[in-house]
Amino acid sequence: MTVPWITIIAVLPLIGSIVIAALPRTSTQFAKRLALFVSLLVLVLTAIMAAQFRLDGPRFQFVESYPWIPQFGVRYAVGLDGIGLVLVALTVILVPIALMGAWREKGAVRGKNGPGAKGYFALILALETAIIGVFAATDLFVFYVLFEAMLIPMYFMIGRYGGPRRQYAAVKFLLYSLLGGLLMLAAVIVLAVTARQQGETTFAFEALRNLSIDESTQRWLFLGFFIAFAIKAPLWPFHTWLPDAASEGRPTSAILLVGLMDKAGTFGMIRYCLELFPDAAHFFTPAVIVLAVVGVLYGALATIGQKDIVRLIAYTSVSHFGLIVLGIFAMTSQGQVGATFYMLSHGFSTGALFLLAGIMIARRGSRQIDDFGGVIKVAPVLAGTFLVACLSGLAMPGLSTFVSEFLVLLGTFTRYPVLAVIATLGIVLAALYMLWLYQRTMTGPGGPEVAKIKDLGRREKLAVAPLVALLLLLGLFPKPVLDVIDPAVQQTMTRLQVQDVSAEGNNP
């Protein structure tokens, strides 16, 4: 009997979410423990599933396919290739860490005076279901439904549990995302009609991949998908919702938003934009590469001017997502493997930064960088782990982000050497803003409020330790993950029909 692994790991968080939502309002502690238990169970099951993934097997494994809306050719169809598996692994690792980070987070536990933590934890589990589904869907209709479904829990996590301007940030996030989603919906409908005209009513990815679409239509469809993914990513100039959403939401919301949800955008680019519309992808590649490089530099320069810790980390992501998009559209296997590995590394790096920033903010009661200083004297473990997180943000050799950026820039250099060199300036600026952030918050004299900051507690150490360990482990020994990603990337390169100038020595 074949075990429906993907359905099990996707549905379990939803069941947990429903059970938690049905609990009495006074069951906060039980709701937290139940949410953490469910997320850890999903993590264990995913590890068992991943151990069965065969590098020499078919592209999509753990495949399930059942009729859903047969009149429209819609099937509940899921499966994982190497890229999807890596991103599902990122999801199931980050969610329990985010739950532990939210355990005592102010705002999620306002109790009698505001929404309780029970609903917040239920929303996190509901979001996990949608994200796993997005990375696993092999039916375009299912992908679209889940891509939009992700908005609902995140909208409430920002709008109900966020800061003073939470409603503004939540509505801005929703409007941007809905605009992109509507454009993609129009493109999905055109694709379905095209498939029907060519003899098959279907939304299956493999079938849509083989459609014959003229170049002009491909370009319009590419734009419909690309704009939706660029907003979600977020790629400059579609990024303006991100700093508000990240800073007005709770730090845990920022972990899930930037560390996980935004990966759906870059995942969609490599899975759908490149493979469904290869001719249009070639046509738009120069423009996308320029946008990515501008995003790298703009994000880095904007980061330097931030005074709010959370907004600063959010702007670093604008720069880093520019590098990911650069790797995807470099049209080399090194670039695309590096971009996918960067999605994973960025999730861990940003997760650590937001998690530690949330702890600092909760301790100090302020998000302003100038209100910190001298934290290392009173909280050395917190300062030490924050240093590792900052070093991962600037891609220090020995950490997984370095491997990612190295592959992205190497893959880009083989086709676009000038733009690759310009993008390298973003790394130089990253060193500036990350070390500056660390210097201003952790060193120097600290005021009386900083002196009251406590070091990391046991639960906080348990939450941040896996992130630090993974950043180091994948930085020193990335080959197993790169080997999982590479076959799926080779499928994309074959579909694009480009000479892979970086094929030799793909993995470091």
Side-chain angles (χ1 to χ4, degrees), residues 138-179:
T138 54
D139 183 288
L140 187 57
F141 188 85
V142 175
F143 171 82
Y144 174 78
V145 169
L146 294 170
F147 187 81
E148 293 295 78
M150 289 192 303
L151 303 180
I152 300 170
M154 183 52 70
Y155 170 79
F156 286 109
M157 288 170 69
I158 298 171
R160 188 167 169 77
Y161 295 91
R165 297 176 71 241
R166 58 186 179 275
Q167 289 296 336
Y168 166 77
V171 170
K172 187 176 181 180
F173 159 75
L174 192 64
L175 289 178
Y176 265 79
S177 300
L178 285 177
L179 173 64

Side-chain angles (χ1 to χ4, degrees), residues 75 88 134 268 437 447 485:
R75 299 180 69 85
V88 167
V134 162
L437 171 65
I485 296 169

Side-chain angles (χ1 to χ4, degrees), residues 226 234-239 269 284-302 315-330 408-409 411-413 415-430 433:
F226 179 78
L235 176 67
W236 181 90
F238 305 100
H239 67 285
M269 289 180 191
F284 285 109
T285 286
V288 176
I289 290 285
V290 170
L291 288 180
V293 173
V294 172
V296 171
L297 299 180
Y298 170 83
L301 291 171
Y315 269 109
T316 66
S317 294
V318 175
S319 181
H320 294 155
F321 273 107
L323 281 169
I324 295 173
V325 175
L326 189 64
I328 291 172
F329 282 86
V408 165
L409 292 173
T412 305
F413 189 83
R415 289 198 187 278
Y416 305 97
V418 175
L419 290 174
V421 171
I422 295 173
T424 306
L425 294 175
I427 298 176
V428 177
L429 293 172
Y433 59 68

